[in-house]
Every structure is written in structure tokens, then in C-alpha cells.
Amino acid sequence: MLYFSQLPEITGGKILSATTISSPIEHLLIDSRRLTAPATSLFFAINGERHDGHQFVKDLYAKGVRQFVIEENNSYISTATDLQDALVIIVSNSVRALQRIAAWHRNQFSIPVIGITGSNGKTIVKEWLTTLLSNKYQVVKSPRSYNSQVGVPLSVWQINGSHTLGIFEAGISQPDEMVYLEKTIQPTIGIFTNIGTAHDEGFISRQQKIAEKAKLFEHCEAVVYCEEHTEIHEYLSAHLPSHIKRWTWKRIDMSLASMGKGESENLMHCITLMQHLGISQTEIETQLQLIHPVSMRLELKQGIRGCYLIDDTYNNDLAGLQIALDFLSNQQQRAKKTVILSDVLESGEPEKQLYTRIAALVHSKNIDRLIGIGEVISRNADCFNIPTLLFPTTESFLKKAHTLFSNELILIKGARTFRFERIIQKLQQKTHGTVLEINLDAIVHNLNYFRSKLKPHTKLMAMVKAFAYGSGSAEVASLLQFHRVDYLTVAYADEGVILRENGITLPIMVMNPSEETFQQIIDYQLEPEIYSPRILQEFLNFLENNDQSAKIHVKVETGMHRLGFEEEHIPQLINKLQNNHHRVQVAAIFSHLAASDDPTEREYTLQQIKQLDKISSLLTEALGYKPIRHIVNSAGIAHYPEGQFDMVRLGIGLYGVGANETEQEHLKTVGTLKTTISQIKHEKPGETVGYGRRGKVTRDSTTATIAIGYADGFDRRFSIGTGSVWINGQLAPVIGSVCMDMSMVDITNIEAQEGDEVIIFGEQLPVQQLARWAGTIPYEIMTGISERVKRIFYTE
């Protein structure tokens, strides 16, 4: 057990308070939103690029946290001093303090530890090794992809006395990072999976990146890698100390060739490591039968009877359960939350102790109901103090599953042996073969990229109109609310109503209010855009007649010539606002840039910014208070810092479309629209394909009918070879006309079979390319995806 009084020696920090109290530390906390056990948590206030954890110290104190690590030379030290009975230690760097504490914890155990690094495959190798070695070791591992400067120490902190082997990932993005991870993990065996382009921008050369990653192995007894990765082999041969044994392999076992190069390499790393551990070939082959594809992500799917499902069915270790529960608690689409959980296998803890811990974790996340499946969880039902249903097997649950759920969020998490994928199949809303997958991690990445361009106190408004640019408004809004954006914007009041009914509490601006929606705006605490004398008077009349008051957003005309108060209307506007100050409060004064994405229109854009500054200053002086001002959109955030004012509006950039190629390199693809091949046909020269016989076959051809048409959002402009889709690594042009529910593509030179996946747009085929083919803009392609196309939201 670690006690607060030990921290100065471990971290080199200084205790701020004079108290001699020594409290136990059981939980290391870096995110205030993931608090589960206040009394035994130690919070690390990390001053990062985009967030400063120090601003949440006071809130955590109010929630019962009493132990804090804060950084020196910080303005929040005085706040921490004022927290009565708080234990506060000041350090030079909170991340380094976190790593030193985890390294101290690692030193309490003499178990072998496998450290895995490389550009790709780290998580799969870790998961497969855990499966392959589970018959000989009690394994503790990194949860999911916890391989960063903060993820690694949180992973290592999990080690307890029951574990006999650790398996941890280590990833770096720039020089001088691995030395800290090596001290934290202290691996005895290393695996170097491969080297690729990931994070190349952080290093002078590929050789420097290899050298930095190899620092993980400085104190290992052995290192596993593929000798055919020449750059890795040459470096390790020249620089590894002679006492470190190099376990290398060259050729992939022919029996693994069908897996594909990446998966085969991952498995060969595992096999070679097992050989190093002295495991016989016979036993290795037996254990290989347990290997299965690893799901790398949590998926949020639409379920039957108004439910949402969180699919996390590939394992249920305790750390993974914590992550999945965090994800569940972040979702606001439904008020009721249910967890379906199998027996937690091979934890190494006495079962009563284990399920007591699980019960506390579930309770801390305000879960409404637990459904336990398995004999062990069933006999420990008395640990849970929430409504609980118990089933001995998955089969017995499935017999009653369809009657048990309605309008709730359901986390489904189970050990592989329970085959919980059958539960997903039972409860998921049935879909046709076309889905739009939304990468929530990519949205967060893009959000943080644009936040990095903001001035310190600039607020951020996120656009979730038009079904969040086709991505799913409620789900995206829930994510944005969790990541503390300041405002949301919708086009129409009913979009705002949907968000409120799905648990969104952020301020919401409505861009197109109308007289018939005023009551909704008031009832759901929405904030209308007021853009003309007419709409202002109509809204004031409504408020007066109904004895109501509201916040409004005043839009002024600066050069877009679409909506907004003209400069000549400003005196009249001021008079109305002053005379009705008891009815309306101006939350914001804003305008719209006409050409912020066009560098040749820079002078015009700067003039628009100047005009907003002028008009908003007049309004602010007349009102006697300072509304928020905003004009900059996605394209303008980086290029017009002078236009950031008090807030910016982030729209299509959030969804992965940059204003230019340079910006695009920093963004991640959010949406992947995919379908499947329904049927394959072989055509002869002279035959035709599709309506109107518009698809002319001029050679022996193979065509595939795919399950997407213009009713799904696959535009008819893609007909007759104008557009293509991505099948098994190649472009397949559309042949004939796009139909309502299906389309035909030419796959003559592509190896494919019925049921194969077809990418309409995504990382392999950017939505910008589809826009160019159709002669339009990405906005139209993205917002045109029909709501009948089911959305699947996932996080890695």
C-alpha cells in the first residue's frame, strides 16, 4: 500500500500542507470525469497543451477527493492552499510524478514483464500473448491501447500480488519519451513489432525513431523481433548489449500465410516469445487454437425498442470494465443504464473480493441495473446493491432477452467463452448491408487539433446541424459535451429538442427559428439566432404575450449577404434591446465569413472581421454588458487568429475535412461509409447493365451489385464510371446507373466474392474525392447520407 507521506521521497516533490496525516492511495486519477473512489484517489493536475487539470482541483475537492499532485509555478497553488484538510504535493511535472509513482509500484513486484513497442501491432500482440499464456501465468496487461506517457503508468499501477506476468505496450511520438516509459515498465523481455511511418514527423530520421524505441530494451534479458525488418535488425545487432539475447525469426510459418502479412507477423512474435519462455512446440500449437480476431474498439450501435448498445464483447478484464463503464457514463442518449456482464475470468483475486470491487465500480457510475451471466457472478449477487438479474448461461439469457429492454443504454461486456456477440445479434436493430461507421476518437483528435490553434480563453462552439454533418447529432453532441465544448449549434428547433431529449445540457443556438417554434425554444431552453427586425419583433411579442424571457444570439451582416442585421438597422436594434432588457439577454453577437477558405479573399475576410468588431462594440456599449462575439469558422480558426474574438465555430473541420492539404494532414477521417457485395455476375461484350441499358459492356467483364443506392445517399452523379468504390485495395468504377437501393460496379480485375466489404468513402477513399467526382463539396456528400443508413459509433 502506498501512503501520501511517501510521495516526497518517490517524486522529489514538496508537501504543501503541514498536516502529518498519511492517507492510503489506491487510485491514480488524471481525468476528473472518471472519478470512482474519492477517498483513496490521488489526482494529478496535468498542465497539458489543451487542458489544465489544475482548474478541476476545486471541483474534485467538493466531490470528496483529498489528495492532489499539482505543479509548481502555477496560479492554482493558492486555491489548493485554501482547501481545508487537503493533502497537496507540489512537483515540477505532474506526468513525471505519475511515472515515478508507477515505477515505485513496479519495484514492489519481481514478476517478469514483457514490454512491447513498434509502429503497429502492439495491442494485438499483447492481447494474443495474454490468451496464449493464460494457462501458465496470471497476466496483468495494458487496458486497450494505454501506451502513452500517462497510459503506461496507469497500466503498471494495476499490478497486484496475484499477478505472475505483466504485458505492457509503450508508444512514443518524439525523442526522449521512451526513457521514462522504460523506467516505469522495467521490462525483462522486449518485443519490437515493426517500424513504419506513424509519428515520423516527430523524429529527424527513421533510424532515430528506431533508436528511441529500442531504449525500452536496455535492461531486458531478451528481445523478440523479425530479422527481415532490416533497419530494426541492423540497429539492434549493433547496439544491444551482448548479454541481451536476440530471439529473431525470418519466415512466416506457411500455416499462417492465410492470415495476411500483418496478422502473421503479430502471431510469429507471440510464437517466438513462447519459445523463449521454454514452452514446447506441442503446447504452442494447442494454445494457438485459442487465438481469435481482436476487436480493437468499443462500438455504440442502435438497438431494438429504442435502445443503444455498447459492444465490448471481446474481453472483460477489470481495467477494461473501467474504460467501458466510463464510455457508458459519457453517453446521454437514454437516462436508464444497464450493464450485461459475464463472469470475470482469471483475475487472480478471491471471487468475493473481486465482485465487491466490481460492485463498487458499477455503483460509482450510477448504473441502474446489472444483468449477470455465469455461475460465479450469480453466486456473488449479494455484492451488488442495484437491481440485478442473473442467468447461469448466455443461452438462458437469450431466451428472455427480447422482453427485458426498452429505451435504455446497454453495455454488453463478457469473456470470450460466453460468446456475447450472440447478444449483440439479438438486441441490435436489424440493418441492411450499408452502415456509416463514426470514429469518435477521430472527432476528439480533430477537436483537440483546432483547440490547439485557439487563444487561451477563446470558447468553442461546435456545429451539430444536419444530423452532425451526417454523423449522428445526439451521439456526437454527447461526446462534445463530455469534452467540454462551450456551445452547440443546430439549424432548426426540432434538432435542439432531440438533443435535449437525449440528455444534452450544453447551451444550444438555433440558426433558423420561426414563430411556430418559439414555444419549443422556450420549453427546451434553446437560444435563437435573431437576424432581422422582423424576427426580433415576432420573438419579443411572443415573450411578452407569454410572460417569458430568453437568451438570443444577434447576427449582423458583414459581407455574406445572407442573413443578418444591416448596419443601418443597428440604432433600431439597440433601441429594441434596451427597451426589452427584461425579456431578452444577448448571449452573443456574431456574423458569418463568406470566403475564409480562399486565400485570395484575405482582404475581404479581414474587412468582415473589422466590421463585426465595429458593430459589436456599438452594441456592447449600449447594452452595458459584454456578449460573446464570434465570426471565425473551421477554415478561419488557424488563418485568422485576429478574428477569434471570444468564441469560434467549428463545423466541417471537426468531421475531418480540412480547408487545405496542409490542414488535412493534421486531421483524422471520422466517417467510413461501407456496404457489401450482394451478387457477382459475368458479362459478355455487347451486354448492358442496369436501367436504360446505360452500362455498356465492351469486353468479358465481372460486375458486382452492391447494397447502396441514391436513397442511401450514393448520388446518381456517380453513374456510368463517374464514381468508383474501394474493394479489396482497388478502385471499382460504377457501371450503368446508380439505382435507388443498389448500384453495379466493374470488378473485372479485382479478386472479390459475394459478401466482401465495399468502402464508399473513408480513409482509403476520401470524401473529398467523391465530391470532386460529383462536382460538388464534401458537405453535400456527408449530409446526404440517408438516416436509413445505420450509424455505428466506435472508440479504440
Side-chain angles (χ1 to χ4, degrees):
M1 178 69 75
L2 176 66
Y3 289 89
F4 190 87
S5 58
Q6 298 172 264
L7 295 187
E9 181 180 353
I10 295 171
T11 66
K14 178 182 178 182
I15 292 181
L16 181 63
S17 54
T19 180
T20 58
I21 297 174
S22 187
S23 295
I25 297 169
E26 295 180 1
H27 304 277
L28 307 184
L29 181 66
I30 63 169
D31 189 332
S32 63
R33 298 162 296 191
R34 291 184 163 92
L35 178 65
T36 58
T40 55
S41 291
L42 174 65
F43 178 68
F44 295 80
I46 297 173
N47 189 2
E49 286 184 34
R50 305 177 183 98
H51 305 285
D52 188 352
H54 294 84
Q55 62 184 301
F56 304 110
V57 168
K58 197 169 183 179
D59 290 341
L60 285 168
Y61 178 86
K63 295 176 181 177
V65 177
R66 290 296 180 268
Q67 302 177 96
F68 300 93
V69 176
I70 66 174
E71 295 181 350
E72 60 191 13
N73 301 322
N74 192 288
S75 60
Y76 289 90
I77 289 180
S78 59
T79 300
T81 306
D82 294 338
L83 300 179
Q84 190 175 14
D85 74 353
L87 300 173
V88 180
I89 185 168
I90 303 176
V91 299
S92 59
N93 185 294
S94 292
V95 173
R96 299 292 172 247
L98 172 66
Q99 292 167 341
R100 290 177 186 135
I101 290 170
W104 173 89
H105 182 71
R106 164 72 176 95
N107 278 327
Q108 311 309 304
F109 306 92
S110 58
I111 61 173
V113 168
I114 301 168
I116 307 172
T117 193
S119 295
N120 299 291
K122 297 185 292 294
T123 301
I124 292 176
V125 170
K126 175 199 68 186
E127 295 296 337
W128 279 351
L129 279 176
T130 301
T131 298
L132 292 167
L133 299 174
S134 61
N135 64 329
K136 288 186 173 294
Y137 296 93
Q138 189 63 52
V139 178
V140 57
K141 62 177 181 176
S142 306
R144 294 196 171 268
S145 299
Y146 270 39
N147 57 35
S148 66
Q149 294 291 298
V150 295
V152 166
L154 294 177
S155 300
V156 170
W157 181 254
Q158 299 174 95
I159 303 174
N160 63 46
S162 69
H163 296 126
T164 57
L165 176 69
I167 308 177
F168 302 111
E169 303 176 41
I172 58 173
S173 58
Q174 59 189 26
D176 303 320
E177 289 185 332
M178 188 62 84
V179 62
Y180 298 106
L181 302 187
E182 191 280 332
K183 290 177 180 178
T184 304
I185 298 173
Q186 301 167 40
T188 56
I189 305 169
I191 297 179
F192 203 142
T193 59
N194 51 49
I195 196 72
T197 59
H199 303 299
D200 268 359
E201 67 277 5
F203 300 90
I204 297 172
S205 65
R206 185 68 58 85
Q207 288 68 32
Q208 184 196 33
K209 185 164 68 170
I210 291 172
E212 287 293 327
K213 288 181 179 290
K215 290 179 180 178
L216 180 64
F217 311 132
E218 289 188 356
H219 299 95
C220 287
E221 64 185 40
V223 177
V224 172
Y225 65 93
C226 174
E227 194 170 316
E228 292 174 344
H229 289 301
T230 307
E231 293 173 305
I232 295 175
H233 179 55
E234 290 177 352
Y235 181 85
L236 295 182
S237 298
H239 295 90
L240 274 186
S242 58
H243 69 273
I244 300 178
K245 184 169 179 57
R246 290 183 289 116
W247 280 79
T248 66
W249 55 273
K250 288 185 179 180
R251 293 181 180 85
I252 294 173
D253 187 324
M254 290 304 295
S255 65
L256 306 179
S258 63
M259 300 181 67
K261 187 173 184 293
E263 288 187 331
S264 299
E265 282 195 0
N266 293 334
L267 200 53
M268 283 302 297
H269 289 311
C270 297
I271 292 170
T272 306
L273 184 132
M274 294 173 78
Q275 292 170 342
H276 165 70
L277 294 176
I279 299 174
S280 70
Q281 189 64 31
T282 300
E283 190 170 353
I284 290 174
E285 291 175 0
T286 299
Q287 289 299 104
L288 286 178
Q289 304 305 310
L290 302 176
I291 288 297
H292 52 78
V294 175
S295 173
M296 302 291 288
R297 62 198 200 183
L298 283 167
E299 293 186 344
L300 178 65
K301 303 174 178 179
Q302 290 176 306
I304 61 173
R305 303 178 68 181
C307 295
Y308 279 88
L309 313 178
I310 298 175
D311 181 355
D312 191 19
T313 55
Y314 84 103
N315 71 34
N316 71 333
D317 58 280
L318 200 56
L321 177 60
Q322 168 83 61
I323 295 171
L325 285 170
D326 285 339
F327 184 74
L328 172 62
S329 64
N330 298 341
Q331 307 306 312
Q332 304 298 326
Q333 296 90 334
R334 299 291 183 267
K336 184 178 179 181
K337 293 181 171 65
T338 294
V339 173
I340 302 175
L341 183 67
S342 78
D343 290 346
V344 177
L345 305 178
E346 300 164 354
S347 73
E349 290 187 51
E351 60 183 62
K352 187 61 68 176
Q353 177 180 314
L354 172 65
Y355 286 97
T356 299
R357 287 181 63 193
I358 292 173
L361 186 57
V362 169
H363 180 74
S364 71
K365 297 300 181 182
N366 299 313
I367 303 304
D368 298 288
R369 180 174 59 158
L370 174 77
I371 296 177
I373 299 177
E375 295 180 358
V376 182
I377 194 171
S378 295
R379 65 173 173 254
N380 286 280
D382 59 335
C383 295
F384 297 94
N385 59 356
I386 61 173
T388 304
L389 290 175
L390 300 168
F391 298 87
T393 64
T394 305
E395 289 74 13
S396 60
F397 165 78
L398 288 171
K399 291 177 182 178
K400 296 185 177 182
H402 66 285
T403 65
L404 298 176
F405 306 100
S406 177
N407 294 306
E408 54 197 289
L409 277 158
I410 309 167
L411 169 62
I412 303 168
K413 187 164 184 62
R416 187 71 183 180
T417 187
F418 285 87
R419 295 183 59 206
F420 270 16
E421 65 272 11
R422 293 176 294 169
I423 298 177
I424 294 293
Q425 293 167 2
K426 183 83 170 180
L427 300 182
Q428 186 176 0
Q429 189 177 93
K430 297 300 180 282
T431 67
H432 68 348
T434 303
V435 297
L436 179 61
E437 295 185 346
I438 308 299
N439 185 341
L440 298 178
D441 294 331
I443 291 179
V444 174
H445 169 88
N446 297 339
L447 172 66
N448 287 334
Y449 167 76
F450 285 103
R451 269 181 166 159
S452 72
K453 304 298 181 183
L454 301 183
K455 297 175 183 178
H457 301 293
T458 302
K459 297 179 183 294
L460 193 144
M461 171 183 277
M463 313 299 283
V464 291
K465 61 179 182 176
F467 205 46
Y469 291 67
S471 298
S473 54
E475 296 81 4
V476 171
S478 182
L479 179 73
L480 296 172
Q481 180 167 276
F482 177 75
H483 285 279
R484 299 189 176 102
V485 303
D486 300 284
Y487 256 94
L488 298 176
T489 296
V490 296
Y492 298 100
D494 56 356
E495 294 178 315
V497 170
I498 290 171
L499 295 185
R500 288 284 186 251
E501 290 177 342
N502 280 276
I504 302 303
T505 58
L506 286 173
I508 299 173
M509 182 178 81
V510 178
M511 297 181 69
N512 296 287
S514 58
E515 193 168 4
E516 60 268 22
T517 64
F518 288 163
Q519 190 62 57
Q520 282 184 315
I521 286 171
I522 296 300
D523 291 345
Y524 288 89
Q525 296 181 301
L526 308 175
E527 301 175 13
E529 171 187 317
I530 301 298
Y531 52 81
S532 71
R534 175 191 61 81
I535 196 72
L536 174 61
Q537 189 58 57
E538 288 178 354
F539 193 54
L540 288 173
N541 291 343
F542 172 84
L543 295 176
E544 186 70 32
N545 293 337
N546 292 275
D547 193 23
Q548 298 284 347
S549 60
K551 291 182 178 180
I552 63 172
H553 294 245
V554 173
K555 186 172 189 178
V556 298
E557 176 60 68
T558 61
M560 182 73 164
H561 300 295
R562 190 171 65 177
L563 294 175
F565 284 92
E566 303 284 351
E567 187 170 5
E568 63 195 60
H569 295 144
I570 299 304
Q572 177 189 355
L573 171 63
I574 288 174
N575 183 58
K576 288 279 188 183
L577 293 175
Q578 288 176 332
N579 291 337
N580 292 277
H581 63 88
H582 60 296
R583 291 296 178 199
V584 291
Q585 176 186 353
V586 179
I589 305 165
F590 76 106
S591 190
H592 226 100
L593 294 178
S596 60
D597 58 345
D598 187 347
T600 67
E601 295 288 357
R602 181 171 181 82
E603 185 177 342
Y604 190 84
T605 300
L606 290 173
Q607 182 58 42
Q608 281 195 268
I609 292 169
K610 184 178 179 180
Q611 182 72 354
L612 177 67
D613 190 26
K614 173 185 173 182
I615 295 175
S616 62
S617 296
L618 290 173
L619 285 167
T620 297
E621 183 178 357
L623 291 171
Y625 59 90
K626 187 178 179 182
I628 297 169
R629 300 183 298 168
H630 56 97
I631 190 171
V632 165
N633 56 2
S634 296
I637 287 175
H639 301 101
Y640 296 96
E642 59 271 77
Q644 289 186 8
F645 292 115
D646 307 302
M647 186 160 69
V648 299
R649 297 190 304 274
L650 179 56
I652 199 163
L654 182 66
Y655 304 100
V657 178
N660 51 54
E661 290 184 7
T662 301
E663 186 171 88
Q664 191 64 50
E665 291 177 358
H666 295 281
L667 302 180
K668 290 188 175 182
T669 300
V670 169
T672 300
L673 179 62
K674 58 175 59 175
T675 188
T676 56
I677 295 176
S678 301
Q679 188 176 16
I680 292 176
K681 289 181 175 290
H682 302 282
E683 319 293 354
K684 296 293 183 182
E687 293 181 330
T688 60
V689 177
Y691 286 120
R693 303 190 66 201
R694 298 176 73 199
K696 309 294 185 182
V697 177
T698 60
R699 59 174 178 168
D700 288 334
S701 300
T702 304
T703 63
T705 301
I706 60 176
I708 189 171
Y710 56 76
D712 302 296
F714 191 57
D715 203 295
R716 287 192 84 245
R717 285 173 288 183
F718 297 134
S719 299
I720 323 175
T722 300
S724 296
V725 299
W726 189 264
I727 299 176
N728 295 335
Q730 297 184 62
L731 286 173
V734 176
I735 183 170
S737 297
V738 173
C739 307
M740 182 181 290
D741 307 303
M742 63 194 75
S743 305
M744 289 69 70
V745 296
D746 189 339
I747 60 167
T748 302
N749 299 312
I750 301 174
E751 289 189 15
Q753 56 188 351
E754 293 176 3
D756 277 2
E757 181 178 86
V758 180
I759 303 296
I760 308 302
F761 65 72
E763 191 168 352
Q764 306 92 331
L765 182 56
V767 69
Q768 293 94 323
Q769 180 60 62
L770 273 72
R772 285 191 286 270
W773 286 334
T776 185
I777 56 177
Y779 293 78
E780 183 180 355
I781 303 296
M782 295 167 66
T783 59
I785 305 305
S786 168
E787 290 194 35
R788 83 173 187 177
V789 174
K790 300 307 176 188
R791 273 67 173 172
I792 294 177
F793 303 85
Y794 69 91
T795 180
E796 300 289 351

